[in-house]
């Protein structure tokens, strides 16, 4: 670098240039400042002498990277810390905000990393207060920025710092400094109260929120989630939280500020409302805190201030929602002013329901509050009235009415999102709402029945017409879909509570209406409308209803507790028992599988229900008594079920055949198994008859994909030695060659190789000890030989193919599945691997060799970048070092060093499953070293000699691995 001016010009190009090539050149030229520790002094020179903010930014960000990624001496880190504090004090007022932010982050990072190395690092809070007592607002701003960043830095893990060390630092900071920082934030808020809308107010409020959002107990809260548990503040915080001025300052800031500051004030209140109950000195102190909280919320509702802003509105709903989590109904009703509060909250809830499009994501918290309140009524012993009987029915009816309003609105506006399509939001709301209905079930059910009857009448009449208004039909079906979802949700909570006979009779009334809807939806004109979205939504709702109806009244747990329901259903519809109800469900499943060839969502939902039924012990037995089920098991072909013909739905085939497998294996009948496998046998016969020259056609491709997905489903259903033996004998030896032929001809096509390898991974998996052969049987060895041939055929071809842009889909995915196949086969405990070497069979050596070549073909950085590949790689290494360590020790030095070095990377990872596998591999290697070299007089076996040679040639190979392994052991135990 010839001059500072040249560097400044490069920095400007790095941060400002629109030319990507120019930016890349600048980045490549300047990366030495962050990569080489010799450039630390030059970064300081740049900070002292550069005139452009871009050069200052480069120096600061480079130092941050140096501190994070390199092990610097203690004195150097202290020098950096002291230099930054002095630099900010002298020049902070003239720096750009982004430069200050970078320098503050550097200061906090070096503070955290050196927290236990020297007491001077722990003076960060004291140093920041020196900025706060200065007269200039710029220095106060820097002090608040340091504290904000310090709390954030301490609260989140960092790359390069083990998670256990992070937690020790975080806990130390929590115990020694966090309370003091929170007090500083409160003092600052009081002092800045008149400085409305200033940047300092924003920083002080942000600091208070960061303190209250701290991970006090190491639960690693997902910050992207809006849900969190109780705030577990330390006992030392008791005086400040019991002080009324603490709550009041945030209510005051909500009143005097505008968004987004007012939203942050509400966020602070949400967290204060979530403080653990045991913190308070006694019940009186907690009641006083609750009364203050309720009064503040009531005043916001009375004034309506700020609630026109969506973010404020949403945060306020969250605040109300916290009352359901941290306080009991008995406490609420005894607070003075409860009646006004509950009335205002009810009015606010009704308005929110009416504003469904604007407040859809906020309603969840309100419904959650009312749900918690009504479920607490049976435990209410206080004399004070809860007033819930007055408001809850209105809210229940308001919810249903608002859903119908949403139907009308979305029908008129094609651009608005249909609430029925937002599965998560729908689930959240319907999880809370049924408790409101069941609290006054007779009134709620009567309201639902009165609403649904005229709509059902219109729907029935429209089925008889040849032509109907599509928009009118879509509105009717959407309203029916809402009703079905609501009834399904009501039945769902029956599983969690004991229902009386009267409630069962009402369940029957509501269920009868849904079953009548089902009769209509597949009849007349409607039987020709499976491609229409509104009908698909209705059928999705019906499937959800069946799932909950099954668990409540047809499932294994409900066989002896549903007498009243079937008495009433018999009167209404002629359904007398479980078997007849199950027949209705299976009939709908069969209809969907026949008619919804092009709707993946409906097919997947249908198959999920079918699998639930088949995998239940009693329902599975009952299913096999039904003619519809027998037809499905005997005729699982594309002629009867067109969705099997759709390639885009081929993933569903695995679930379908998993279910078919469950049903086939319900009966201990080899004859039944073979007859049920006839459709698959025909596919094998067709493929086997195709000559090699014709094997690369689209017809063969899709036949192979479908067949492999089908077989994987059947293999997943084999859960015992008997059922696995049926499948093994059916496949081996007659049909195994088609797998080898398929992988050989289609190795360059992941669409084929992925399902084929996944089937093999399932087939060799010894779950529940299902892969167990007689002591005189060679089947375990024969199975492994097939695995070896398959892997060699795939690996030898994939390694010779060039890399492409999407290398994961093209190569890495197949490699990790192949490694999984081999790992499962090696760890299955059904093969005596010594036989291969004894008889000169190269199956084992070839499989290990090709697997190792595949792993070495992938850069370690790529292995660590793709999670599934990472897991498969370390699982493979764990098996090798556990059962085939001799093979590993006989590798050449470079390969051995690469593998051991990769174990170190695994030990450093944050994923405990991966670090545990890496630690297990190191443990096996260390045990071998100890047993064969350390305590032995001299290495005698060739493997021990090789290990001794590896260590002699590379003495630095093991120290770091041993350190990380010991570190992992200490903190995992």
């Amino acid at each position: 670098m010839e001059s500072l001016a040249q560097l400044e010009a490069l920095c400007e190009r790095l941060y400002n240039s629109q030319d990507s090539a120019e930016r890349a050149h600048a980045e490549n030229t300047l990366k030495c400042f962050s990569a080489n520790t010799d450039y630390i002094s030059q970064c300081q020179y740049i900070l002292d002498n550069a005139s452009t903010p871009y050069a200052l930014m480069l120096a600061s960000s480079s130092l941050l990277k140096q501190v994070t990624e390199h092990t610097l001496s203690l004195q150097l880190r202290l020098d950096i810390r002291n230099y930054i504090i002095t630099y900010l004090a002298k020049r902070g007022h003239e720096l750009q905000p982004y430069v200050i932010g970078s320098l503050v982050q550097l200061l906090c990072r070096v503070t955290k990393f050196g927290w236990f190395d020297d007491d001077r690092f722990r003076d960060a809070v004291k140093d920041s207060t020196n900025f706060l007592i200065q007269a200039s607002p710029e220095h106060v701003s820097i002090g608040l920025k340091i504290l904000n960043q310090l709390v954030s830095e301490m609260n989140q893990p960092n790359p390069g710092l083990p998670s256990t060390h992070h937690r020790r630092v975080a806990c130390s900071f929590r115990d020694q400094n966090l309370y003091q920082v929170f007090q500083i934030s409160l003092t600052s808020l009081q002092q800045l109260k008149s400085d409305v809308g200033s940047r300092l107010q924003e920083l002080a409020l942000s600091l208070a929120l960061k303190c209250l959002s701290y991970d006090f107990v190491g639960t690693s809260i997902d910050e992207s989630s809006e849900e969190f548990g109780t705030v577990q503040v330390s006992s030392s915080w008791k005086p400040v939280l019991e002080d009324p001025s603490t709550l009041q300052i945030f209510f005051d800031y909500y009143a005097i500020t505008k968004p987004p500051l007012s939203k942050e004030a509400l966020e602070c209140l949400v967290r204060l409302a979530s403080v653990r109950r045991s913190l308070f000195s006694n019940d009186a102190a907690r009641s006083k805190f609750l009364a203050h909280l309720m009064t503040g919320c009531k005043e916001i509702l009375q004034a309506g201030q700020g609630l026109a802003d969506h973010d404020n509105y949403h945060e306020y709903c969250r605040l109300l929602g916290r009352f359901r989590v941290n306080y009991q109904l008995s406490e609420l009703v005894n607070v003075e002013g409860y009646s006004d509060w509950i009335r205002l909250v009810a009015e606010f809830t009704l308005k929110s329901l009416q504003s469904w499009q604007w407040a859809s994501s906020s309603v969840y918290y309100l419904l959650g509050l009312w749900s918690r309140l009504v479920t607490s009524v049976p435990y209410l012993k206080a004399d004070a009235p809860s007033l819930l009987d007055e408001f809850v029915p209105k809210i229940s009816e308001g919810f249903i009415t608002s859903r119908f309003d949403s139907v009308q609105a979305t029908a008129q506006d094609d651009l608005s999102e249909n609430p029925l399509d937002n599965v998560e939001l729908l689930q959240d709301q319907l999880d809370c709402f049924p408790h409101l209905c069941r609290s006054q079930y007779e009134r709620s059910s009567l309201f639902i029945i009165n609403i649904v009857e005229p709509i059902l009448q219109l729907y029935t009449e429209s089925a008889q017409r040849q032509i109907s208004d599509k928009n009118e039909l879509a509105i009717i079906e959407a309203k029916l879909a809402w009703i079905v979802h609501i009834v399904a949700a009501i039945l769902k909570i029956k599983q969690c509570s004991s229902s009386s006979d009267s409630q069962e009779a009402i369940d029957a009334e509501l269920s009868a209406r849904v079953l009548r809807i089902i009769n209509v939806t597949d009849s007349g004109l409607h039987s020709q409308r499976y491609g229409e979205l509104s009908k698909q939504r209705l059928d999705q709702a019906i499937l959800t209803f069946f799932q909950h109806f099954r668990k409540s009244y047809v499932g294994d747990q409900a066989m002896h507790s549903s007498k009243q329901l079937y008495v009433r259903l018999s009167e209404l519809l002629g359904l007398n028992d479980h078997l007849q109800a199950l027949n209705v469900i299976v009939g709908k499943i069969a209809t969907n599988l026949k008619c919804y060839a092009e709707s993946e969502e409906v097919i997947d939902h249908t198959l999920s229900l079918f699998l639930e039924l088949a995998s239940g012990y009693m329902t599975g037995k009952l299913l096999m008594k039904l003619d519809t089920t027998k037809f499905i098991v005997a005729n699982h072909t594309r002629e009867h079920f067109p969705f099997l013909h759709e390639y885009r739905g081929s993933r569903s085939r695995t679930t379908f055949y998993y279910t078919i497998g469950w049903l086939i294996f319900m009966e201990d009948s080899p004859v039944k198994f073979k007859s049920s496998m006839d459709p698959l046998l025909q596919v094998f016969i067709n493929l086997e008859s195709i000559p090699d020259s014709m094997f690369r056609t689209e017809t063969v491709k899709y036949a192979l994909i479908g067949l492999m997905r089908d077989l994987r489903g059947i293999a997943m259903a084999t859960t015992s030695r008997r059922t696995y033996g049926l499948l093994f004998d059916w496949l081996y030896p007659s049909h195994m060659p088609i797998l080898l032929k398929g992988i050989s001809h289609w190795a360059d096509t992941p669409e084929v190789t992925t399902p084929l390898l996944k089937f093999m991974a399932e087939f060799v998996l010894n779950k529940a000890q299902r892969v167990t052969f007689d002591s005189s049987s060679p089947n375990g060895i024969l199975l492994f030989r097939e695995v070896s041939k398959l892997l060699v055929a795939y690996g030898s071809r994939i390694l010779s193919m060039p890399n492409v842009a999407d290398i994961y889909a093209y190569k890495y995915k197949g490699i990790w599945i192949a490694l999984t196949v081999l790992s499962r086969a090696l760890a299955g405990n059904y093969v005596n691997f010594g036989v291969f070497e004894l008889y000169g069979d190269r199956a084992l050596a070839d499989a290990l060799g090709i697997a190792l070549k595949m792993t070495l073909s992938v850069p370690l950085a790529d292995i660590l970048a793709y999670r599934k590949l990472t897991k498969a790689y370390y699982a493979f290494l764990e098996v090798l070092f556990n059962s085939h360590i001799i093979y590993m020790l006989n590798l050449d030095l470079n390969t051995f060093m690469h593998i051991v070095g990769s174990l170190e990377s695994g030990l450093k990872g944050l994923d405990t499953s991966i670090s545990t596998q890496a630690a297990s591999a190191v443990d096996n290697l260390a045990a071998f070293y100890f047993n064969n070299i350390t305590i032995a007089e001299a290495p005698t076996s060739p493997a021990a000699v090789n290990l001794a040679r590896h260590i002699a040639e590379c003495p630095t190979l093991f120290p770091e691995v041993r350190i990380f392994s010991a570190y992992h052991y200490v903190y995992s135990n």
Side-chain angles (χ1 to χ4, degrees):
M1 200 67 59
E2 293 182 9
S3 69
L4 187 58
Q6 283 182 315
L7 182 136
E8 290 178 335
L10 270 175
C11 291
E12 186 157 359
R13 284 198 289 274
L14 175 65
Y15 290 110
N16 272 351
S17 176
Q18 301 297 315
D19 186 341
S20 59
E22 194 174 44
R23 281 200 315 275
H25 173 262
E27 183 179 3
N28 193 51
T29 306
L30 296 170
K31 69 179 181 182
C32 57
F33 288 95
S34 60
N36 192 334
T37 55
D38 294 337
Y39 282 81
I40 290 178
S41 58
Q42 295 194 32
C43 289
Q44 181 180 339
Y45 176 81
I46 295 169
L47 287 169
D48 288 335
N49 297 283
S51 57
T52 70
Y54 304 115
L56 299 177
M57 187 67 187
L58 170 79
S60 176
S61 59
S62 297
L63 285 172
L64 178 66
K65 201 167 183 183
Q66 293 270 19
V67 167
T68 304
E69 297 181 0
H70 297 96
T71 305
L72 307 181
S73 68
L74 174 61
Q75 189 55 51
L76 180 55
R77 284 180 285 142
L78 283 168
D79 290 343
I80 292 172
R81 172 192 176 278
N82 296 333
Y83 173 79
I84 297 300
I85 291 173
T86 305
Y87 188 86
L88 286 170
K90 290 181 177 179
R91 294 191 55 188
H93 63 281
E94 62 188 43
L95 299 175
Q96 292 288 337
Y98 56 84
V99 177
I100 295 175
S102 181
L103 289 167
V104 166
Q105 188 180 9
L106 169 61
L107 173 62
C108 296
R109 182 69 53 84
V110 78
T111 297
K112 181 178 181 178
F113 277 44
W115 191 258
F116 290 119
D117 297 337
D118 192 288
D119 288 345
R120 282 170 284 184
F121 286 113
R122 305 188 200 184
D123 290 336
V125 176
K126 178 183 174 184
D127 294 328
S128 66
T129 55
N130 291 333
F131 285 88
L132 297 176
I133 60 176
Q134 301 298 315
S136 75
E138 290 82 3
H139 283 89
V140 176
S141 173
I142 291 171
L144 289 172
K145 284 180 179 178
I146 292 172
L147 290 174
N148 266 280
Q149 183 60 38
L150 187 62
V151 177
S152 295
E153 192 75 32
M154 294 298 183
N155 200 33
Q156 61 190 15
N158 304 94
L161 191 69
S163 57
T164 47
H165 187 73
H166 153 72
R167 194 59 216 157
R168 286 179 62 217
V169 175
C171 290
S172 175
F173 178 79
R174 175 200 66 195
D175 296 338
Q176 297 177 21
N177 301 99
L178 188 61
Y179 178 52
Q180 181 188 357
V181 175
F182 183 57
Q183 288 180 307
I184 290 171
S185 73
L186 294 177
T187 304
S188 300
L189 287 170
Q190 292 286 3
Q191 293 172 348
L192 296 166
K193 206 168 178 181
S194 59
D195 197 5
V196 178
S198 71
R199 173 64 176 156
L200 295 181
Q201 272 191 343
E202 182 182 338
L203 288 168
L205 202 52
S206 172
L207 180 58
L209 179 58
K210 283 184 169 70
C211 291
L212 291 168
S213 305
Y214 199 80
D215 188 4
F216 288 93
V217 291
T219 51
S220 300
I221 297 168
D222 178 8
E223 293 186 2
S224 66
S225 170
E226 293 189 331
E227 281 306 303
F228 54 89
T230 304
V231 177
Q232 301 284 349
V233 296
S234 307
S235 298
S236 58
W237 290 48
K238 184 187 299 181
V240 74
L241 292 181
E242 289 187 349
D243 184 346
S245 65
T246 302
L247 263 183
Q248 192 57 46
I249 191 67
F250 296 110
F251 279 117
D252 291 345
Y253 263 76
Y254 174 75
I256 64 175
T257 59
K258 295 180 179 179
L261 292 189
S262 53
K263 172 182 174 286
E264 286 202 1
L266 284 175
E267 284 189 82
C268 291
L269 287 167
V270 169
R271 279 159 177 78
L272 286 170
S274 309
V275 168
R276 62 185 174 93
R277 295 167 55 84
S278 57
L279 175 78
F280 297 95
S281 304
N282 49 44
D283 290 345
R286 188 168 64 246
S287 297
K288 184 179 177 182
F289 183 86
L290 173 59
H292 193 165
L293 198 60
M294 288 177 67
T295 300
C297 290
K298 185 171 64 174
E299 289 171 355
I300 290 174
L301 284 176
Q302 287 170 334
Q305 182 180 359
L307 295 180
D309 178 81
H310 187 273
D311 289 338
N312 280 354
Y313 188 94
H314 182 72
E315 208 59 43
Y316 184 75
C317 290
R318 291 185 67 203
L319 176 57
L320 290 178
R322 297 312 293 177
F323 282 90
R324 76 185 174 109
V325 177
N326 227 24
Y327 301 99
Q328 298 170 3
L329 179 59
S330 57
E331 293 175 301
L332 296 174
V333 298
N334 286 317
V335 172
E336 186 179 351
Y338 165 79
S339 58
D340 290 337
W341 178 81
I342 196 71
R343 176 181 53 78
L344 287 167
V345 172
E347 291 172 359
F348 179 71
T349 303
L350 288 169
K351 288 178 183 176
S352 298
L353 290 172
Q354 291 163 10
S355 308
W356 63 270
Q357 198 165 15
W358 192 71
S360 58
S361 59
S362 310
V363 166
Y364 161 72
Y365 301 103
L366 301 176
L367 292 177
L369 169 63
W370 289 101
S371 171
R372 181 64 178 264
L373 293 177
V374 297
T375 52
S376 302
V377 168
Y379 311 103
L380 185 62
K381 298 178 181 178
D383 295 331
S386 70
L387 305 177
L388 296 180
D389 289 348
E390 179 183 346
F391 299 118
V392 168
K394 295 178 183 177
I395 292 168
S396 299
E397 293 165 10
F399 177 82
I400 296 172
T401 304
S402 68
R403 300 312 97 180
F404 280 13
D405 292 342
S406 74
V407 169
Q408 295 289 153
T410 51
Q412 295 167 8
D413 181 6
D414 293 336
L415 298 178
S416 60
E417 182 187 19
N418 193 312
L420 288 168
D421 294 333
N422 190 332
V423 178
E424 291 183 6
L425 186 60
L426 182 68
Q427 188 65 44
D428 285 341
Q429 294 179 358
L430 292 178
D431 277 347
C432 303
F433 175 70
H435 295 283
L436 278 63
C437 287
R438 283 202 182 265
S439 67
Q440 294 192 32
Y441 202 14
E442 285 190 27
R443 176 172 170 177
S444 298
S445 62
L446 188 60
F447 181 79
I448 293 171
I449 290 168
N450 288 338
I451 279 184
V452 76
E453 284 292 353
I455 302 172
L456 182 53
Q457 182 64 35
L458 284 174
Y459 194 52
T460 305
E461 291 171 1
S462 65
Q464 311 307 320
R465 302 177 201 152
Q466 291 301 312
I467 300 174
S468 288
D469 184 337
K470 284 189 176 182
N471 289 335
E472 181 189 351
L473 263 181
I475 291 172
I476 291 173
E477 285 178 331
K479 289 180 177 180
L480 291 175
W482 269 113
I483 291 295
V484 174
H485 274 301
I486 288 168
V487 174
I490 292 171
L491 292 184
K492 180 182 179 182
I493 67 166
K494 188 265 180 188
Q495 303 155 34
C496 311
S497 60
S498 55
S499 295
S500 63
D501 287 350
S502 62
Q503 291 219 343
E504 275 197 15
I506 298 173
D507 286 349
E509 294 282 351
L510 294 177
S511 299
R513 269 66 186 184
V514 176
L515 293 170
R516 282 172 54 198
I517 294 171
I518 295 165
N519 290 336
V520 177
T521 193
D522 294 321
S523 65
L525 176 66
H526 304 319
S527 63
Q528 304 165 27
R529 299 177 48 253
Y530 291 99
E532 294 182 22
L533 192 56
S534 61
K535 180 165 170 53
Q536 290 177 20
R537 291 191 184 111
L538 177 55
D539 277 333
Q540 289 267 52
I542 288 168
L543 291 168
T544 302
F545 164 78
F546 276 143
Q547 284 180 308
H548 300 316
F549 182 81
R550 178 197 73 80
K551 290 175 183 175
S552 298
Y553 290 113
V554 184
D556 297 342
Q557 302 297 321
M559 289 294 184
H560 308 293
S561 61
S562 50
K563 183 178 178 181
Q564 287 301 316
L565 176 116
Y566 284 107
V567 167
R568 187 63 183 138
L569 280 181
S570 176
E571 296 169 359
L572 293 170
L573 298 175
L575 286 179
N576 300 313
D577 55 26
H578 299 87
L579 190 61
Q580 290 185 357
L582 197 59
N583 192 46
V584 173
I585 298 174
V586 175
K588 183 59 180 171
I589 288 171
T591 300
N592 285 0
L593 294 179
K594 287 178 182 178
C595 301
Y596 276 110
E598 297 183 2
S599 175
E600 280 186 72
E601 293 82 3
V602 177
I603 290 293
D604 287 345
H605 200 164
T606 303
L607 290 174
S608 174
L609 173 60
F610 195 21
L611 179 59
E612 283 181 21
L613 292 171
S615 55
Y617 179 75
M618 286 302 297
T619 52
K621 295 282 188 185
L622 288 174
L623 276 180
M624 293 309 296
K625 295 180 179 180
L626 301 175
D627 291 339
T628 307
T629 308
K630 293 174 183 176
F631 177 84
I632 295 173
V633 171
N635 299 278
H636 42 89
T637 62
R638 63 180 61 178
E639 288 74 26
H640 293 96
F641 302 106
F643 82 94
L644 295 172
H645 190 66
E646 290 286 324
Y647 171 69
R648 63 182 176 180
S650 59
R651 292 175 185 272
S652 304
R653 299 176 70 131
T654 302
T655 308
F656 181 58
Y657 277 91
Y658 182 28
T659 310
I660 295 289
W662 266 106
L663 295 171
I664 291 171
F665 296 131
M666 281 279 178
E667 300 178 20
D668 188 5
S669 171
V671 174
K672 175 73 174 295
F673 169 75
K674 287 184 178 179
S675 64
S676 300
M677 295 294 281
D678 280 344
L680 299 185
L681 177 62
Q682 192 57 50
V683 179
F684 266 117
I685 292 170
N686 292 340
L687 289 172
E688 288 160 357
S689 66
I690 297 173
D692 288 2
S693 59
M694 305 272 298
F695 213 72
R696 286 280 296 189
T697 64
E698 290 295 294
T699 303
V700 171
K701 174 183 171 180
Y702 292 122
L704 266 175
I705 292 170
L707 179 61
M708 292 304 109
R709 292 195 183 280
D710 300 347
L711 284 175
R712 184 181 171 210
I714 297 291
M716 288 165 63
T718 60
T719 56
S720 66
R721 177 180 177 181
R722 174 186 62 81
T723 55
Y724 184 87
L726 290 173
L727 180 60
F728 182 87
D729 292 339
W730 186 81
L731 270 176
Y732 186 88
S734 55
H735 301 310
M736 292 302 283
I738 206 68
L739 274 67
L740 185 59
K741 187 175 179 180
I743 207 88
S744 301
H745 283 78
W746 293 93
D748 62 342
T749 310
E751 293 167 284
V752 176
T753 57
T754 295
L756 196 155
L757 290 170
K758 281 192 172 183
F759 159 66
M760 206 61 190
E762 178 62 38
F763 192 55
V764 300
L765 177 62
N766 193 11
K767 61 183 180 185
Q769 296 300 305
R770 63 179 182 174
V771 191
T772 304
F773 302 108
D774 293 336
S775 57
S776 59
S777 170
N779 284 346
I781 295 168
L782 295 172
L783 175 58
F784 187 81
R785 290 178 67 183
E786 295 297 328
V787 169
S788 177
K789 286 189 282 187
L790 198 70
L791 293 181
V792 170
Y794 176 72
S796 59
R797 287 166 175 79
I798 201 70
L799 290 173
S800 64
M801 293 174 190
N803 292 339
V804 297
D806 188 0
I807 194 168
Y808 176 79
Y810 188 65
K811 276 192 175 181
Y812 293 171
K813 186 173 184 179
I815 288 174
W816 78 252
I817 302 172
L819 291 179
T820 302
V821 172
L822 185 55
S823 299
R824 289 177 174 182
L826 292 174
N829 203 30
Y830 48 82
V831 185
N832 184 342
F833 290 103
V835 169
F836 294 104
E837 186 177 1
L838 183 65
Y839 290 101
D841 190 330
R842 288 199 52 80
L844 175 62
D846 289 346
L848 293 176
I850 199 67
L852 206 58
K853 285 180 183 177
M854 285 192 285
T855 61
L856 294 174
S857 73
V858 184
L860 182 59
D862 284 359
I863 288 176
L864 298 174
Y866 298 102
R867 180 174 172 77
K868 289 183 178 180
L869 179 58
T870 311
K871 297 186 83 167
Y873 175 74
Y874 284 103
F876 177 57
L877 291 190
E878 181 184 23
V879 173
L880 287 185
F881 278 99
N882 182 49
S883 307
H884 300 276
I885 194 168
I886 305 299
Y887 178 85
M888 301 301 294
L889 298 177
N890 288 334
L891 297 171
D892 63 86
L893 177 63
N894 289 335
T895 304
F896 186 74
M897 285 178 60
H898 173 81
I899 291 173
V900 173
S902 71
L903 290 176
E904 180 183 338
S905 298
L907 289 167
K908 290 180 179 179
L910 297 177
D911 189 317
T912 53
S913 64
I914 290 169
S915 59
T916 301
Q917 288 170 336
S920 173
V922 173
D923 180 57
N924 284 308
L925 183 57
F928 185 92
Y929 180 84
F930 180 79
N931 293 328
N932 293 275
I933 297 178
T934 303
I935 63 173
E937 295 181 3
T940 54
S941 68
V945 171
N946 284 339
L947 179 57
R949 187 185 304 118
H950 289 330
I951 294 173
E953 292 183 20
C954 187
T956 61
L957 182 62
F958 288 106
E960 278 204 53
V961 175
R962 284 204 300 270
I963 290 169
F964 274 100
S965 183
Y967 198 78
H968 177 273
Y969 175 80
V970 168
Y971 285 102
S972 62
N973 289 279

